[in-house]
Every structure is written in C-alpha cells, then in structure tokens.
Amino acid sequence: MKSMLKVGAVLLTLTMALCQVEAVAQAPKELVYTVVEEQPEFPGGAAALSQYLAQNIKFPSSLMRKNYNTGPVSAKFIIDKAGKVHDVRITTKPLPKEMRKGMQEFMTAIIAAVEKMPRWRPGQVKGQSVSVFYTLPIEVNMQ
C-alpha cells in the first residue's frame, strides 16, 4: 500500500508542476481534481476564511521581533467530497538557518488551523461533489 501512496504523491506533484492534467488518482477509485467547474468554498466565504485564519494562526514572536519577511507562504491540501480538509502541506521560500525554528513554529500553527477547519462546501464537476487539491496563500501582515 505504501508504494501506491508514493505513486499518487508523485502524480500529484507532476500535475501541479505541469498544470495539464485535470485529476490524479488519490485512491484506487477516487480522483482529486486540480481544475473544477465550481471551486470549494469555506463556510461564510472568503471574508469568513480570512477571519478564521487571523483568529487561529499565531505568528511567532521570535519572527516578529526580527521583523522577518516570510515571503510567500501557502497551505496546500485536499478538500474531499464531504468538505473535509486533509493532507495539509506548507510551502515557503528557502529559509535561512537562524529563522528555521520560528518558521517551523509558524508552519505548525498553520497546519493545526487548517486541519481543524469546519467542513467546506466541496468542489463540483457536472453537479457532483468531488475532491479538490486546493492552494491557500497565507498573507502575513505585521502592522
């Protein structure tokens, strides 16, 4: 079973890089779409999502004291047919050694917040709920 998961992860990575394939296999009979007719939606929409993230992600004081610019940070995850979030991953710019501990703390906070999100309205293809690979940019504003 582990080898099947590794193959799925490789296909998912290739799909993101090439942006030419519409869906990849997650499990033997389930597809995870990268392009859908109707995108998944957080309960209450984009404003509610921004508020949720602001309330649930704490920016580490060690990074704040150093006024560290995180650069682009994204949470990438799957929203399944039922609207549940899983398989959360974080992407960032390369980190200098002295910032790794603070950024690790920040990324852990993002993962925890994303994993405990309420159910989303799932993505749709031809009127059917489908699993969707979703990328959520995380903006840090230290003002």
Side-chain angles (χ1 to χ4, degrees), residues 5-143:
L5 293 175
K6 287 180 184 176
V7 170
V10 170
L11 288 175
L12 187 58
T13 302
L14 290 174
T15 300
M16 291 179 352
L18 299 175
C19 296
Q20 294 175 346
V21 178
E22 275 194 26
V24 271
Q26 174 189 11
K29 294 184 180 180
E30 185 178 357
L31 295 176
V32 177
Y33 287 78
T34 55
V35 178
V36 291
E37 295 168 358
E38 196 173 324
Q39 285 291 325
E41 184 177 38
F42 186 82
L49 175 58
S50 292
Q51 185 177 12
Y52 173 86
L53 294 173
Q55 290 172 349
N56 289 282
I57 299 174
K58 184 180 182 305
F59 192 73
S61 57
S62 62
L63 296 178
M64 198 173 295
R65 280 192 308 272
K66 294 177 182 177
N67 201 26
Y68 181 67
N69 177 3
T70 64
V73 177
S74 294
K76 297 180 179 207
F77 48 91
I78 294 172
I79 302 168
D80 68 19
K81 295 178 192 183
K84 293 180 189 176
V85 172
H86 55 89
D87 296 335
V88 182
R89 297 180 183 117
I90 305 299
T91 59
T92 68
K93 68 180 183 180
L95 304 173
K97 188 174 183 179
E98 65 275 6
M99 295 298 152
R100 287 185 187 147
K101 184 177 179 187
M103 279 301 290
Q104 184 63 42
E105 184 181 332
F106 183 48
M107 291 185 290
T108 300
I110 294 169
I111 290 170
V114 171
E115 286 179 337
K116 72 176 190 175
M117 283 181 172
R119 287 187 186 208
W120 289 51
R121 182 186 49 74
Q124 302 277 313
V125 172
K126 297 181 182 175
Q128 299 293 315
S129 294
V130 296
S131 296
V132 178
F133 187 75
Y134 194 87
T135 300
L136 177 65
I138 307 289
E139 185 178 325
V140 177
N141 187 350
M142 291 191 278
Q143 294 177 357

